[in-house]
Amino acid sequence: MGRQVLCTGFAQGRITALRRLVSERAAGEGLAGKRLEDFVLAVNEITTNAVLHGGGSGRLRLWWHEDRLWCEVTDEGPGLPPGWTDAAHTPPEHEPRGRGLWLTRLLCDQVTVVSGPGGTSVRFAAARE
């Protein structure tokens, strides 16, 4: 799998601290500039989704593999509605949900989503500039 950088749980009220920790670790691992900002924004979006829609808490892992910093966010919520795991289009303006995954796909590399009644796992990566 590669060299682990971080593995931690999170819950509502801890997203800001988690975002700060991820930013520090990712910067310490060599991500910088726009790549760092984009990666941290994606982490924020996906962890917020886990809290709001995935049961209120989750787990985050960061690791290096093949010159990319990978992030995996998992939750134990009810899973995504059908069609949400592979939707790559811009969500309609009237739809209040769906922007976190869409934005993560724009900001990061190799985004994969696995979802079912036992939870959701979102995995994405960023390469150093």
PDB file of all heavy atoms in Angstrom, residues 80-119:
ATOM      1  N   LEU A  80     -24.599   6.063  -0.651  1.00  0.00           N
ATOM      2  CA  LEU A  80     -25.045   7.102  -1.565  1.00  0.00           C
ATOM      3  C   LEU A  80     -26.258   6.644  -2.364  1.00  0.00           C
ATOM      4  O   LEU A  80     -26.392   5.450  -2.650  1.00  0.00           O
ATOM      5  CB  LEU A  80     -23.918   7.462  -2.533  1.00  0.00           C
ATOM      6  CG  LEU A  80     -22.698   8.117  -1.904  1.00  0.00           C
ATOM      7  CD1 LEU A  80     -21.552   8.167  -2.898  1.00  0.00           C
ATOM      8  CD2 LEU A  80     -23.032   9.510  -1.428  1.00  0.00           C
ATOM      9  N   PRO A  81     -27.098   7.587  -2.777  1.00  0.00           N
ATOM     10  CA  PRO A  81     -28.208   7.225  -3.654  1.00  0.00           C
ATOM     11  C   PRO A  81     -27.678   6.674  -4.979  1.00  0.00           C
ATOM     12  O   PRO A  81     -26.562   7.006  -5.393  1.00  0.00           O
ATOM     13  CB  PRO A  81     -28.938   8.554  -3.879  1.00  0.00           C
ATOM     14  CG  PRO A  81     -28.486   9.463  -2.785  1.00  0.00           C
ATOM     15  CD  PRO A  81     -27.101   9.000  -2.423  1.00  0.00           C
ATOM     16  N   PRO A  82     -28.460   5.847  -5.666  1.00  0.00           N
ATOM     17  CA  PRO A  82     -28.029   5.301  -6.967  1.00  0.00           C
ATOM     18  C   PRO A  82     -27.610   6.415  -7.923  1.00  0.00           C
ATOM     19  O   PRO A  82     -28.239   7.468  -7.986  1.00  0.00           O
ATOM     20  CB  PRO A  82     -29.279   4.576  -7.478  1.00  0.00           C
ATOM     21  CG  PRO A  82     -30.056   4.251  -6.247  1.00  0.00           C
ATOM     22  CD  PRO A  82     -29.788   5.374  -5.279  1.00  0.00           C
ATOM     23  N   GLY A  83     -26.511   6.178  -8.636  1.00  0.00           N
ATOM     24  CA  GLY A  83     -26.020   7.137  -9.619  1.00  0.00           C
ATOM     25  C   GLY A  83     -25.043   8.162  -9.093  1.00  0.00           C
ATOM     26  O   GLY A  83     -24.429   8.884  -9.866  1.00  0.00           O
ATOM     27  N   TRP A  84     -24.868   8.248  -7.792  1.00  0.00           N
ATOM     28  CA  TRP A  84     -23.984   9.272  -7.234  1.00  0.00           C
ATOM     29  C   TRP A  84     -22.526   8.862  -7.221  1.00  0.00           C
ATOM     30  O   TRP A  84     -21.656   9.714  -7.160  1.00  0.00           O
ATOM     31  CB  TRP A  84     -24.421   9.631  -5.813  1.00  0.00           C
ATOM     32  CG  TRP A  84     -25.603  10.542  -5.802  1.00  0.00           C
ATOM     33  CD1 TRP A  84     -26.838  10.284  -6.323  1.00  0.00           C
ATOM     34  CD2 TRP A  84     -25.662  11.846  -5.269  1.00  0.00           C
ATOM     35  NE1 TRP A  84     -27.654  11.341  -6.127  1.00  0.00           N
ATOM     36  CE2 TRP A  84     -26.960  12.323  -5.470  1.00  0.00           C
ATOM     37  CE3 TRP A  84     -24.742  12.651  -4.622  1.00  0.00           C
ATOM     38  CZ2 TRP A  84     -27.362  13.584  -5.066  1.00  0.00           C
ATOM     39  CZ3 TRP A  84     -25.152  13.896  -4.208  1.00  0.00           C
ATOM     40  CH2 TRP A  84     -26.441  14.356  -4.432  1.00  0.00           C
ATOM     41  N   THR A  85     -22.226   7.578  -7.257  1.00  0.00           N
ATOM     42  CA  THR A  85     -20.834   7.160  -7.141  1.00  0.00           C
ATOM     43  C   THR A  85     -20.030   7.440  -8.395  1.00  0.00           C
ATOM     44  O   THR A  85     -18.824   7.594  -8.326  1.00  0.00           O
ATOM     45  CB  THR A  85     -20.721   5.663  -6.806  1.00  0.00           C
ATOM     46  OG1 THR A  85     -21.372   4.909  -7.820  1.00  0.00           O
ATOM     47  CG2 THR A  85     -21.307   5.367  -5.446  1.00  0.00           C
ATOM     48  N   ASP A  86     -20.676   7.519  -9.538  1.00  0.00           N
ATOM     49  CA  ASP A  86     -19.920   7.741 -10.768  1.00  0.00           C
ATOM     50  C   ASP A  86     -20.316   9.009 -11.495  1.00  0.00           C
ATOM     51  O   ASP A  86     -19.860   9.262 -12.597  1.00  0.00           O
ATOM     52  CB  ASP A  86     -20.063   6.533 -11.705  1.00  0.00           C
ATOM     53  CG  ASP A  86     -21.512   6.209 -12.016  1.00  0.00           C
ATOM     54  OD1 ASP A  86     -22.411   6.920 -11.537  1.00  0.00           O
ATOM     55  OD2 ASP A  86     -21.733   5.233 -12.738  1.00  0.00           O
ATOM     56  N   ALA A  87     -21.159   9.833 -10.908  1.00  0.00           N
ATOM     57  CA  ALA A  87     -21.596  11.062 -11.557  1.00  0.00           C
ATOM     58  C   ALA A  87     -20.431  12.043 -11.659  1.00  0.00           C
ATOM     59  O   ALA A  87     -19.840  12.413 -10.663  1.00  0.00           O
ATOM     60  CB  ALA A  87     -22.750  11.696 -10.783  1.00  0.00           C
ATOM     61  N   ALA A  88     -20.102  12.436 -12.876  1.00  0.00           N
ATOM     62  CA  ALA A  88     -19.001  13.364 -13.082  1.00  0.00           C
ATOM     63  C   ALA A  88     -19.500  14.708 -13.606  1.00  0.00           C
ATOM     64  O   ALA A  88     -18.705  15.581 -13.900  1.00  0.00           O
ATOM     65  CB  ALA A  88     -17.993  12.767 -14.073  1.00  0.00           C
ATOM     66  N   HIS A  89     -20.801  14.875 -13.736  1.00  0.00           N
ATOM     67  CA  HIS A  89     -21.357  16.118 -14.253  1.00  0.00           C
ATOM     68  C   HIS A  89     -21.577  17.126 -13.123  1.00  0.00           C
ATOM     69  O   HIS A  89     -21.641  16.767 -11.961  1.00  0.00           O
ATOM     70  CB  HIS A  89     -22.677  15.838 -14.970  1.00  0.00           C
ATOM     71  CG  HIS A  89     -23.707  15.238 -14.068  1.00  0.00           C
ATOM     72  ND1 HIS A  89     -23.716  13.902 -13.741  1.00  0.00           N
ATOM     73  CD2 HIS A  89     -24.734  15.805 -13.397  1.00  0.00           C
ATOM     74  CE1 HIS A  89     -24.717  13.666 -12.913  1.00  0.00           C
ATOM     75  NE2 HIS A  89     -25.353  14.793 -12.687  1.00  0.00           N
ATOM     76  N   THR A  90     -21.719  18.383 -13.516  1.00  0.00           N
ATOM     77  CA  THR A  90     -21.986  19.432 -12.546  1.00  0.00           C
ATOM     78  C   THR A  90     -23.388  19.239 -11.978  1.00  0.00           C
ATOM     79  O   THR A  90     -24.339  19.069 -12.740  1.00  0.00           O
ATOM     80  CB  THR A  90     -21.898  20.818 -13.226  1.00  0.00           C
ATOM     81  OG1 THR A  90     -20.638  20.939 -13.865  1.00  0.00           O
ATOM     82  CG2 THR A  90     -22.084  21.936 -12.214  1.00  0.00           C
ATOM     83  N   PRO A  91     -23.527  19.254 -10.660  1.00  0.00           N
ATOM     84  CA  PRO A  91     -24.865  19.112 -10.069  1.00  0.00           C
ATOM     85  C   PRO A  91     -25.757  20.284 -10.484  1.00  0.00           C
ATOM     86  O   PRO A  91     -25.270  21.411 -10.644  1.00  0.00           O
ATOM     87  CB  PRO A  91     -24.610  19.154  -8.565  1.00  0.00           C
ATOM     88  CG  PRO A  91     -23.165  18.881  -8.405  1.00  0.00           C
ATOM     89  CD  PRO A  91     -22.498  19.361  -9.647  1.00  0.00           C
ATOM     90  N   PRO A  92     -27.046  20.052 -10.661  1.00  0.00           N
ATOM     91  CA  PRO A  92     -27.960  21.154 -10.992  1.00  0.00           C
ATOM     92  C   PRO A  92     -27.938  22.220  -9.894  1.00  0.00           C
ATOM     93  O   PRO A  92     -27.737  21.908  -8.719  1.00  0.00           O
ATOM     94  CB  PRO A  92     -29.337  20.485 -11.056  1.00  0.00           C
ATOM     95  CG  PRO A  92     -29.077  19.020 -11.154  1.00  0.00           C
ATOM     96  CD  PRO A  92     -27.730  18.769 -10.553  1.00  0.00           C
ATOM     97  N   GLU A  93     -28.151  23.468 -10.284  1.00  0.00           N
ATOM     98  CA  GLU A  93     -28.115  24.565  -9.318  1.00  0.00           C
ATOM     99  C   GLU A  93     -29.131  24.393  -8.200  1.00  0.00           C
ATOM    100  O   GLU A  93     -28.878  24.779  -7.063  1.00  0.00           O
ATOM    101  CB  GLU A  93     -28.362  25.896 -10.031  1.00  0.00           C
ATOM    102  CG  GLU A  93     -27.183  26.360 -10.839  1.00  0.00           C
ATOM    103  CD  GLU A  93     -27.419  27.727 -11.455  1.00  0.00           C
ATOM    104  OE1 GLU A  93     -28.199  28.519 -10.890  1.00  0.00           O
ATOM    105  OE2 GLU A  93     -26.816  27.990 -12.495  1.00  0.00           O
ATOM    106  N   HIS A  94     -30.278  23.801  -8.492  1.00  0.00           N
ATOM    107  CA  HIS A  94     -31.327  23.643  -7.483  1.00  0.00           C
ATOM    108  C   HIS A  94     -31.065  22.460  -6.543  1.00  0.00           C
ATOM    109  O   HIS A  94     -31.731  22.318  -5.544  1.00  0.00           O
ATOM    110  CB  HIS A  94     -32.691  23.463  -8.158  1.00  0.00           C
ATOM    111  CG  HIS A  94     -32.782  22.194  -8.961  1.00  0.00           C
ATOM    112  ND1 HIS A  94     -32.305  22.110 -10.254  1.00  0.00           N
ATOM    113  CD2 HIS A  94     -33.252  20.969  -8.644  1.00  0.00           C
ATOM    114  CE1 HIS A  94     -32.502  20.879 -10.700  1.00  0.00           C
ATOM    115  NE2 HIS A  94     -33.070  20.163  -9.745  1.00  0.00           N
ATOM    116  N   GLU A  95     -30.064  21.638  -6.863  1.00  0.00           N
ATOM    117  CA  GLU A  95     -29.745  20.462  -6.034  1.00  0.00           C
ATOM    118  C   GLU A  95     -28.752  20.871  -4.948  1.00  0.00           C
ATOM    119  O   GLU A  95     -27.627  21.278  -5.247  1.00  0.00           O
ATOM    120  CB  GLU A  95     -29.147  19.359  -6.901  1.00  0.00           C
ATOM    121  CG  GLU A  95     -28.720  18.122  -6.142  1.00  0.00           C
ATOM    122  CD  GLU A  95     -29.854  17.434  -5.411  1.00  0.00           C
ATOM    123  OE1 GLU A  95     -30.844  17.068  -6.056  1.00  0.00           O
ATOM    124  OE2 GLU A  95     -29.739  17.266  -4.182  1.00  0.00           O
ATOM    125  N   PRO A  96     -29.147  20.791  -3.664  1.00  0.00           N
ATOM    126  CA  PRO A  96     -28.253  21.229  -2.597  1.00  0.00           C
ATOM    127  C   PRO A  96     -27.126  20.243  -2.291  1.00  0.00           C
ATOM    128  O   PRO A  96     -26.177  20.585  -1.612  1.00  0.00           O
ATOM    129  CB  PRO A  96     -29.185  21.359  -1.385  1.00  0.00           C
ATOM    130  CG  PRO A  96     -30.280  20.391  -1.657  1.00  0.00           C
ATOM    131  CD  PRO A  96     -30.449  20.368  -3.162  1.00  0.00           C
ATOM    132  N   ARG A  97     -27.224  19.025  -2.793  1.00  0.00           N
ATOM    133  CA  ARG A  97     -26.198  18.023  -2.511  1.00  0.00           C
ATOM    134  C   ARG A  97     -25.400  17.714  -3.776  1.00  0.00           C
ATOM    135  O   ARG A  97     -25.786  18.055  -4.869  1.00  0.00           O
ATOM    136  CB  ARG A  97     -26.859  16.738  -2.007  1.00  0.00           C
ATOM    137  CG  ARG A  97     -27.563  16.916  -0.689  1.00  0.00           C
ATOM    138  CD  ARG A  97     -28.284  15.685  -0.253  1.00  0.00           C
ATOM    139  NE  ARG A  97     -27.444  14.506  -0.344  1.00  0.00           N
ATOM    140  CZ  ARG A  97     -27.837  13.289  -0.057  1.00  0.00           C
ATOM    141  NH1 ARG A  97     -29.055  13.063   0.347  1.00  0.00           N
ATOM    142  NH2 ARG A  97     -27.015  12.274  -0.156  1.00  0.00           N
ATOM    143  N   GLY A  98     -24.263  17.039  -3.584  1.00  0.00           N
ATOM    144  CA  GLY A  98     -23.513  16.534  -4.721  1.00  0.00           C
ATOM    145  C   GLY A  98     -22.304  17.342  -5.130  1.00  0.00           C
ATOM    146  O   GLY A  98     -21.564  16.944  -6.023  1.00  0.00           O
ATOM    147  N   ARG A  99     -22.078  18.463  -4.510  1.00  0.00           N
ATOM    148  CA  ARG A  99     -20.950  19.286  -4.924  1.00  0.00           C
ATOM    149  C   ARG A  99     -19.607  18.788  -4.368  1.00  0.00           C
ATOM    150  O   ARG A  99     -18.578  19.016  -4.962  1.00  0.00           O
ATOM    151  CB  ARG A  99     -21.193  20.729  -4.523  1.00  0.00           C
ATOM    152  CG  ARG A  99     -22.297  21.319  -5.395  1.00  0.00           C
ATOM    153  CD  ARG A  99     -22.469  22.775  -5.263  1.00  0.00           C
ATOM    154  NE  ARG A  99     -23.311  23.422  -6.223  1.00  0.00           N
ATOM    155  CZ  ARG A  99     -24.404  22.982  -6.813  1.00  0.00           C
ATOM    156  NH1 ARG A  99     -24.824  21.789  -6.582  1.00  0.00           N
ATOM    157  NH2 ARG A  99     -25.098  23.700  -7.654  1.00  0.00           N
ATOM    158  N   GLY A 100     -19.617  18.120  -3.222  1.00  0.00           N
ATOM    159  CA  GLY A 100     -18.368  17.649  -2.629  1.00  0.00           C
ATOM    160  C   GLY A 100     -17.651  16.633  -3.501  1.00  0.00           C
ATOM    161  O   GLY A 100     -16.452  16.771  -3.776  1.00  0.00           O
ATOM    162  N   LEU A 101     -18.355  15.621  -3.970  1.00  0.00           N
ATOM    163  CA  LEU A 101     -17.746  14.624  -4.855  1.00  0.00           C
ATOM    164  C   LEU A 101     -17.363  15.247  -6.188  1.00  0.00           C
ATOM    165  O   LEU A 101     -16.295  14.967  -6.734  1.00  0.00           O
ATOM    166  CB  LEU A 101     -18.692  13.447  -5.090  1.00  0.00           C
ATOM    167  CG  LEU A 101     -18.749  12.418  -3.992  1.00  0.00           C
ATOM    168  CD1 LEU A 101     -19.846  11.393  -4.279  1.00  0.00           C
ATOM    169  CD2 LEU A 101     -17.411  11.722  -3.835  1.00  0.00           C
ATOM    170  N   TRP A 102     -18.240  16.069  -6.720  1.00  0.00           N
ATOM    171  CA  TRP A 102     -17.971  16.728  -7.993  1.00  0.00           C
ATOM    172  C   TRP A 102     -16.696  17.572  -7.894  1.00  0.00           C
ATOM    173  O   TRP A 102     -15.816  17.491  -8.739  1.00  0.00           O
ATOM    174  CB  TRP A 102     -19.177  17.593  -8.373  1.00  0.00           C
ATOM    175  CG  TRP A 102     -18.957  18.482  -9.544  1.00  0.00           C
ATOM    176  CD1 TRP A 102     -18.926  18.130 -10.860  1.00  0.00           C
ATOM    177  CD2 TRP A 102     -18.708  19.890  -9.500  1.00  0.00           C
ATOM    178  NE1 TRP A 102     -18.687  19.239 -11.634  1.00  0.00           N
ATOM    179  CE2 TRP A 102     -18.550  20.325 -10.817  1.00  0.00           C
ATOM    180  CE3 TRP A 102     -18.630  20.817  -8.462  1.00  0.00           C
ATOM    181  CZ2 TRP A 102     -18.311  21.658 -11.145  1.00  0.00           C
ATOM    182  CZ3 TRP A 102     -18.383  22.139  -8.781  1.00  0.00           C
ATOM    183  CH2 TRP A 102     -18.230  22.544 -10.108  1.00  0.00           C
ATOM    184  N   LEU A 103     -16.588  18.364  -6.823  1.00  0.00           N
ATOM    185  CA  LEU A 103     -15.420  19.215  -6.625  1.00  0.00           C
ATOM    186  C   LEU A 103     -14.156  18.378  -6.426  1.00  0.00           C
ATOM    187  O   LEU A 103     -13.097  18.693  -6.984  1.00  0.00           O
ATOM    188  CB  LEU A 103     -15.655  20.124  -5.419  1.00  0.00           C
ATOM    189  CG  LEU A 103     -14.625  21.216  -5.167  1.00  0.00           C
ATOM    190  CD1 LEU A 103     -14.501  22.127  -6.370  1.00  0.00           C
ATOM    191  CD2 LEU A 103     -15.024  22.013  -3.937  1.00  0.00           C
ATOM    192  N   THR A 104     -14.245  17.301  -5.667  1.00  0.00           N
ATOM    193  CA  THR A 104     -13.089  16.428  -5.456  1.00  0.00           C
ATOM    194  C   THR A 104     -12.595  15.853  -6.777  1.00  0.00           C
ATOM    195  O   THR A 104     -11.389  15.773  -7.013  1.00  0.00           O
ATOM    196  CB  THR A 104     -13.440  15.310  -4.457  1.00  0.00           C
ATOM    197  OG1 THR A 104     -13.775  15.928  -3.207  1.00  0.00           O
ATOM    198  CG2 THR A 104     -12.282  14.347  -4.256  1.00  0.00           C
ATOM    199  N   ARG A 105     -13.507  15.487  -7.661  1.00  0.00           N
ATOM    200  CA  ARG A 105     -13.110  14.983  -8.982  1.00  0.00           C
ATOM    201  C   ARG A 105     -12.376  16.035  -9.794  1.00  0.00           C
ATOM    202  O   ARG A 105     -11.489  15.712 -10.575  1.00  0.00           O
ATOM    203  CB  ARG A 105     -14.329  14.470  -9.738  1.00  0.00           C
ATOM    204  CG  ARG A 105     -14.816  13.143  -9.234  1.00  0.00           C
ATOM    205  CD  ARG A 105     -15.932  12.596 -10.126  1.00  0.00           C
ATOM    206  NE  ARG A 105     -16.287  11.266  -9.724  1.00  0.00           N
ATOM    207  CZ  ARG A 105     -17.278  10.965  -8.889  1.00  0.00           C
ATOM    208  NH1 ARG A 105     -18.028  11.934  -8.384  1.00  0.00           N
ATOM    209  NH2 ARG A 105     -17.532   9.727  -8.554  1.00  0.00           N
ATOM    210  N   LEU A 106     -12.743  17.305  -9.615  1.00  0.00           N
ATOM    211  CA  LEU A 106     -12.060  18.388 -10.327  1.00  0.00           C
ATOM    212  C   LEU A 106     -10.672  18.671  -9.748  1.00  0.00           C
ATOM    213  O   LEU A 106      -9.748  19.016 -10.474  1.00  0.00           O
ATOM    214  CB  LEU A 106     -12.878  19.678 -10.258  1.00  0.00           C
ATOM    215  CG  LEU A 106     -14.171  19.723 -11.036  1.00  0.00           C
ATOM    216  CD1 LEU A 106     -14.875  21.058 -10.798  1.00  0.00           C
ATOM    217  CD2 LEU A 106     -13.921  19.520 -12.525  1.00  0.00           C
ATOM    218  N   LEU A 107     -10.537  18.532  -8.429  1.00  0.00           N
ATOM    219  CA  LEU A 107      -9.320  18.953  -7.735  1.00  0.00           C
ATOM    220  C   LEU A 107      -8.250  17.883  -7.611  1.00  0.00           C
ATOM    221  O   LEU A 107      -7.077  18.210  -7.450  1.00  0.00           O
ATOM    222  CB  LEU A 107      -9.678  19.430  -6.319  1.00  0.00           C
ATOM    223  CG  LEU A 107     -10.610  20.629  -6.220  1.00  0.00           C
ATOM    224  CD1 LEU A 107     -10.982  20.882  -4.761  1.00  0.00           C
ATOM    225  CD2 LEU A 107      -9.977  21.857  -6.850  1.00  0.00           C
ATOM    226  N   CYS A 108      -8.636  16.605  -7.649  1.00  0.00           N
ATOM    227  CA  CYS A 108      -7.705  15.522  -7.335  1.00  0.00           C
ATOM    228  C   CYS A 108      -7.638  14.481  -8.443  1.00  0.00           C
ATOM    229  O   CYS A 108      -8.416  14.511  -9.384  1.00  0.00           O
ATOM    230  CB  CYS A 108      -8.110  14.854  -6.021  1.00  0.00           C
ATOM    231  SG  CYS A 108      -7.984  15.975  -4.613  1.00  0.00           S
ATOM    232  N   ASP A 109      -6.704  13.561  -8.284  1.00  0.00           N
ATOM    233  CA  ASP A 109      -6.469  12.505  -9.261  1.00  0.00           C
ATOM    234  C   ASP A 109      -7.119  11.204  -8.804  1.00  0.00           C
ATOM    235  O   ASP A 109      -7.196  10.929  -7.612  1.00  0.00           O
ATOM    236  CB  ASP A 109      -4.960  12.250  -9.411  1.00  0.00           C
ATOM    237  CG  ASP A 109      -4.193  13.516  -9.754  1.00  0.00           C
ATOM    238  OD1 ASP A 109      -4.708  14.334 -10.527  1.00  0.00           O
ATOM    239  OD2 ASP A 109      -3.078  13.681  -9.224  1.00  0.00           O
ATOM    240  N   GLN A 110      -7.538  10.411  -9.765  1.00  0.00           N
ATOM    241  CA  GLN A 110      -7.967   9.026  -9.544  1.00  0.00           C
ATOM    242  C   GLN A 110      -8.959   8.888  -8.393  1.00  0.00           C
ATOM    243  O   GLN A 110      -8.744   8.146  -7.442  1.00  0.00           O
ATOM    244  CB  GLN A 110      -6.757   8.127  -9.316  1.00  0.00           C
ATOM    245  CG  GLN A 110      -5.824   8.102 -10.499  1.00  0.00           C
ATOM    246  CD  GLN A 110      -4.607   7.242 -10.276  1.00  0.00           C
ATOM    247  OE1 GLN A 110      -4.343   6.782  -9.177  1.00  0.00           O
ATOM    248  NE2 GLN A 110      -3.851   7.003 -11.338  1.00  0.00           N
ATOM    249  N   VAL A 111     -10.056   9.581  -8.486  1.00  0.00           N
ATOM    250  CA  VAL A 111     -11.088   9.520  -7.459  1.00  0.00           C
ATOM    251  C   VAL A 111     -11.923   8.256  -7.657  1.00  0.00           C
ATOM    252  O   VAL A 111     -12.419   7.999  -8.752  1.00  0.00           O
ATOM    253  CB  VAL A 111     -12.001  10.760  -7.511  1.00  0.00           C
ATOM    254  CG1 VAL A 111     -13.088  10.681  -6.455  1.00  0.00           C
ATOM    255  CG2 VAL A 111     -11.182  12.031  -7.352  1.00  0.00           C
ATOM    256  N   THR A 112     -12.053   7.462  -6.595  1.00  0.00           N
ATOM    257  CA  THR A 112     -12.916   6.289  -6.636  1.00  0.00           C
ATOM    258  C   THR A 112     -13.865   6.344  -5.445  1.00  0.00           C
ATOM    259  O   THR A 112     -13.499   6.784  -4.360  1.00  0.00           O
ATOM    260  CB  THR A 112     -12.130   4.958  -6.596  1.00  0.00           C
ATOM    261  OG1 THR A 112     -11.345   4.920  -5.409  1.00  0.00           O
ATOM    262  CG2 THR A 112     -11.232   4.805  -7.806  1.00  0.00           C
ATOM    263  N   VAL A 113     -15.077   5.884  -5.692  1.00  0.00           N
ATOM    264  CA  VAL A 113     -16.107   5.873  -4.658  1.00  0.00           C
ATOM    265  C   VAL A 113     -16.729   4.483  -4.627  1.00  0.00           C
ATOM    266  O   VAL A 113     -17.132   3.957  -5.662  1.00  0.00           O
ATOM    267  CB  VAL A 113     -17.211   6.919  -4.956  1.00  0.00           C
ATOM    268  CG1 VAL A 113     -18.268   6.908  -3.861  1.00  0.00           C
ATOM    269  CG2 VAL A 113     -16.620   8.301  -5.124  1.00  0.00           C
ATOM    270  N   VAL A 114     -16.771   3.910  -3.448  1.00  0.00           N
ATOM    271  CA  VAL A 114     -17.449   2.633  -3.238  1.00  0.00           C
ATOM    272  C   VAL A 114     -18.480   2.882  -2.147  1.00  0.00           C
ATOM    273  O   VAL A 114     -18.141   3.374  -1.076  1.00  0.00           O
ATOM    274  CB  VAL A 114     -16.459   1.525  -2.812  1.00  0.00           C
ATOM    275  CG1 VAL A 114     -17.200   0.236  -2.520  1.00  0.00           C
ATOM    276  CG2 VAL A 114     -15.392   1.328  -3.873  1.00  0.00           C
ATOM    277  N   SER A 115     -19.737   2.548  -2.446  1.00  0.00           N
ATOM    278  CA  SER A 115     -20.790   2.853  -1.495  1.00  0.00           C
ATOM    279  C   SER A 115     -21.838   1.755  -1.475  1.00  0.00           C
ATOM    280  O   SER A 115     -22.139   1.153  -2.510  1.00  0.00           O
ATOM    281  CB  SER A 115     -21.450   4.194  -1.867  1.00  0.00           C
ATOM    282  OG  SER A 115     -22.355   4.600  -0.871  1.00  0.00           O
ATOM    283  N   GLY A 116     -22.375   1.519  -0.297  1.00  0.00           N
ATOM    284  CA  GLY A 116     -23.425   0.531  -0.120  1.00  0.00           C
ATOM    285  C   GLY A 116     -24.115   0.777   1.202  1.00  0.00           C
ATOM    286  O   GLY A 116     -23.817   1.756   1.904  1.00  0.00           O
ATOM    287  N   PRO A 117     -25.019  -0.106   1.582  1.00  0.00           N
ATOM    288  CA  PRO A 117     -25.787   0.101   2.808  1.00  0.00           C
ATOM    289  C   PRO A 117     -24.937   0.106   4.081  1.00  0.00           C
ATOM    290  O   PRO A 117     -25.384   0.580   5.124  1.00  0.00           O
ATOM    291  CB  PRO A 117     -26.784  -1.050   2.820  1.00  0.00           C
ATOM    292  CG  PRO A 117     -26.311  -2.027   1.809  1.00  0.00           C
ATOM    293  CD  PRO A 117     -25.416  -1.304   0.863  1.00  0.00           C
ATOM    294  N   GLY A 118     -23.686  -0.353   4.015  1.00  0.00           N
ATOM    295  CA  GLY A 118     -22.813  -0.365   5.181  1.00  0.00           C
ATOM    296  C   GLY A 118     -21.864   0.807   5.251  1.00  0.00           C
ATOM    297  O   GLY A 118     -21.021   0.893   6.152  1.00  0.00           O
ATOM    298  N   GLY A 119     -21.970   1.744   4.292  1.00  0.00           N
ATOM    299  CA  GLY A 119     -21.099   2.910   4.324  1.00  0.00           C
ATOM    300  C   GLY A 119     -20.532   3.271   2.971  1.00  0.00           C
ATOM    301  O   GLY A 119     -20.798   2.621   1.968  1.00  0.00           O
TER     302      GLY A 119
END
